[in-house]
Amino acid sequence: MNKTGPQLLELSPGEGFSIQEKYVAADTLYSKIKEDVKKRALALDEAISQCTQFHDKIDPTLESLQRIVERLRQPPSISAEVEKIKEQISENKNVSMDLEKLQPVYETLKQRGEEMIARSEGADKDVSAKAVQDKLDQMVLIWQDIQTLTEEREAKLLDVMELAEKFWCDHMALVATIKDTQDFIRELEGPGVDPSVVKQQQEAAEAAKEEIDGLQEELETVVSLGSELRAACGEPDKPIVNKNFSEGFVLNYCWPFG
């Protein structure tokens, strides 16, 4: 048209304006169509690239998330020892850090998937879009499960750690006090013959008895804490708590004024 238009213009000067108008319009239309085709090709290339990236990354990401959530659904039993509980809290935080590392991939996949669905006729009409939507829903659900499970695990670990700290502190203090009192009683001299000496021995024994009786409330508190800790910790750690219960009970029964 660009070649024949000017030639026709020379052959028919009288119709020059009409001819020029037509070939200019045709040239403009051609340029517009060419540009539209180019843009469409670029858009298709971009769509293909995004689609490929989505499908290449979605399954490995889902597998990684699935492994994490499976570990959280079957976590190691909670320890009864404070230091070990701190280690478990640290391990739980590591899971949150692993999730943070996956955050950029998660957000990108979510965005790409939504863009792919938006370019389709919709997940309710397009089978491919429905498949993408299903993958996205699965990824989001697992992601939310991981967040919930890590938060619940941390809260439980912190509760048990607080309980363990209280139990072991009170237990050690009580046992130490009882042993000191036992040592004091053992060191008491045998019954004397002098009335004044006997009276002093009786007063010392009564004082020791009152001190021991005053520890009964503390003992009950430790027993209560121990019962709670035994219920909260895992099976492997229950014998540890039971052993210290036994020690406490033995001491209780061995008190000379029980």
Side-chain angles (χ1 to χ4, degrees):
M1 180 66 74
N2 287 334
K3 291 181 179 181
T4 58
Q7 292 175 355
L8 289 171
L9 184 60
E10 291 178 3
L11 295 173
S12 303
E15 299 180 8
F17 179 76
S18 175
I19 293 172
Q20 185 179 28
E21 187 180 50
K22 288 179 180 179
Y23 80 71
V24 169
D27 185 60
T28 301
L29 179 61
Y30 170 77
S31 297
K32 185 178 182 305
I33 292 172
K34 184 178 179 181
E35 184 63 25
D36 289 344
V37 169
K38 182 179 179 180
K39 289 180 180 179
R40 178 63 174 170
L42 290 173
L44 287 172
D45 287 342
E46 178 64 20
I48 291 171
S49 175
Q50 290 182 358
C51 183
T52 301
Q53 290 177 15
F54 178 85
H55 288 291
D56 285 348
K57 292 183 178 180
I58 188 66
D59 286 335
T61 301
L62 283 173
E63 290 173 4
S64 297
L65 293 175
Q66 192 64 47
R67 284 194 296 270
I68 294 173
V69 80
E70 285 175 359
R71 291 203 310 269
L72 290 172
R73 286 171 180 163
Q74 295 181 327
S77 62
I78 298 178
S79 177
E81 300 179 65
V82 176
E83 290 305 315
K84 290 184 178 179
I85 297 174
K86 289 180 179 179
E87 291 176 5
Q88 292 179 317
I89 291 173
S90 178
E91 290 169 0
N92 192 64
K93 289 186 181 297
N94 288 338
V95 174
S96 298
M97 292 175 63
D98 290 340
L99 201 62
E100 288 179 7
K101 292 176 183 178
L102 289 172
Q103 182 87 29
V105 176
Y106 170 82
E107 295 295 345
T108 299
L109 285 171
K110 195 166 179 289
Q111 180 182 347
R112 293 286 182 267
E114 290 171 351
E115 289 173 353
M116 290 164 63
I117 294 170
R119 286 195 297 267
S120 70
E121 294 180 356
D124 55 336
K125 295 180 180 179
D126 190 321
V127 176
S128 297
K130 177 66 165 60
V132 171
Q133 186 66 65
D134 289 345
K135 294 281 188 181
L136 284 181
D137 291 344
Q138 183 182 2
M139 182 180 70
V140 171
L141 181 61
I142 297 175
W143 187 273
Q144 292 173 343
D145 281 349
I146 292 173
Q147 290 179 317
T148 300
L149 289 169
T150 52
E151 290 171 2
E152 291 176 350
R153 173 76 170 171
E154 181 174 8
K156 189 170 183 179
L157 286 167
L158 289 172
D159 286 345
V160 178
M161 184 173 72
E162 182 180 358
L163 179 61
E165 286 175 335
K166 181 66 175 171
F167 169 75
W168 291 114
C169 180
D170 288 4
H171 177 272
M172 291 174 64
L174 180 62
V175 169
T177 300
I178 293 172
K179 286 184 176 180
D180 288 345
T181 305
Q182 284 181 318
D183 292 340
F184 170 74
I185 293 172
R186 291 191 188 100
E187 292 173 0
L188 289 176
E189 296 178 356
V193 292
D194 188 315
S196 63
V197 173
V198 172
K199 184 178 180 181
Q200 290 177 350
Q201 290 176 332
Q202 286 177 332
E203 290 175 350
E206 285 297 324
K209 183 179 182 300
E210 288 178 7
E211 183 175 350
I212 291 174
D213 289 342
L215 292 175
Q216 186 63 37
E217 184 177 345
E218 293 180 35
L219 175 63
E220 291 174 357
T221 298
V222 170
V223 170
S224 176
L225 288 170
S227 297
E228 291 182 48
L229 181 59
R230 182 169 52 190
C233 71
E235 289 296 329
D237 280 65
K238 292 186 189 298
I240 298 174
V241 182
N242 290 336
K243 175 181 178 296
N244 286 277
F245 262 118
S246 298
E247 183 181 356
F249 287 132
V250 168
L251 287 170
N252 185 36
Y253 292 137
C254 286
W255 287 350
F257 302 108

